Amino acid sequence: MAKLRVHNIAISLDGYIAGPNQGPENPLGEGGLRLHDWVWATRYAHQMDGADTGETGVDNDFLVAGDAGIGATIMGRNMFGPIRGPWADHEWQGWWGDNPPYHHDTFVMTHHTRPSLPMTGGTTFHFVNETPEEVLRQAFKAADGQDARLAGGSSAIRQFLRAGLVDEMHLAVVPILLGAGERLYDDLGTLPGYQISSVVHSPAVTHVTFTKTA
């Protein structure tokens, strides 16, 4: 049975997955890039840039696993870009250039829809104003038997967690404090129905995986 999976979400010790004051010059907020230092060091990240260098090991393995068996992606509008409110035009096409890294149907949750946006490499962004349940239904249909990935940001992940729709969630806990920004753990209560299924340490981060129990 297909699952909804969250992978490789880098989170600070105080629970932030992005810093404050996000914008075109700071896609991950002030200080937020530090959350991803462990990613840039891996061979997987270097291969995405066309180089066969970088480190193998635990961190690299988690990055590779996060893409395995994924047929569709869901994200919040804040992850797609810095523009808020109604779209003035359709010039913004995401942070990733002409060839985004998804290579399949990607559903952007937004109150302001726009036409679907096909990109080089097989990614098509669909802008949907639906409940998490309906967005997940569309993602599963597009994934055609494979799993769907919930890519972020914090608000989108919280919506799906509160609805009990996430089957697996992997967080990479980075030993830094951001102090402000986009916090993952707000308004989640005690998260009934989820348990920690594994904790794996690397020299850079601690990988914590949650799985759904009910």
Side-chain angles (χ1 to χ4, degrees):
M1 184 176 179
K3 296 179 179 181
L4 177 63
R5 295 156 42 192
V6 177
H7 281 280
N8 298 307
I9 299 297
I11 185 168
S12 67
L13 290 175
D14 48 351
Y16 295 96
I17 66 173
N21 302 315
Q22 289 176 278
E25 302 303 318
N26 288 299
L28 292 173
E30 295 173 1
L33 284 175
R34 292 187 297 154
L35 291 170
H36 296 269
D37 285 346
W38 66 278
V39 174
W40 315 138
T42 64
R43 175 165 294 182
Y44 190 69
H46 287 217
Q47 288 174 333
M48 295 287 283
D49 288 333
D52 192 22
T53 55
E55 300 173 4
T56 59
V58 170
D59 296 337
N60 192 75
D61 291 345
F62 271 96
L63 287 172
V64 172
D67 281 341
I70 298 294
T73 293
I74 300 168
M75 68 175 63
R77 179 172 172 180
N78 288 4
M79 184 172 177
F80 179 73
I83 301 168
R84 305 292 181 259
W87 303 96
D89 52 52
H90 296 162
E91 290 186 5
W92 180 263
Q93 298 185 355
W95 299 106
W96 306 278
D98 293 335
N99 187 4
Y102 304 104
H103 311 302
H104 50 228
D105 289 301
T106 299
F107 297 85
V108 180
M109 298 177 68
T110 174
H111 295 300
H112 303 278
T113 60
R114 55 185 269 190
S116 293
L117 176 63
M119 306 290 288
T120 300
T123 302
T124 297
F125 291 109
H126 305 283
F127 302 87
V128 292
N129 183 15
E130 303 288 353
T131 64
E133 291 82 358
E134 174 58 20
V135 175
L136 182 57
R137 186 194 68 79
Q138 293 181 31
F140 277 153
K141 182 178 180 181
D144 194 23
Q146 297 191 85
D147 291 342
R149 172 176 50 206
L150 178 56
S154 61
S155 176
I157 294 174
R158 288 198 302 270
Q159 289 182 60
F160 283 85
L161 285 172
R162 286 196 295 264
L165 298 174
V166 176
D167 294 295
E168 299 176 4
M169 180 171 70
H170 159 236
L171 306 178
V173 183
V174 184
I176 64 172
L177 299 172
L178 287 182
E182 297 295 324
R183 195 166 187 274
L184 180 63
Y185 296 128
D186 290 345
D187 303 318
L188 290 178
T190 58
L191 274 182
Y194 291 92
Q195 67 179 8
I196 295 176
S197 54
S198 73
V199 178
V200 180
H201 302 282
S202 81
V205 298
T206 298
H207 298 277
V208 182
T209 302
F210 299 78
T211 53
K212 190 176 179 181
T213 60

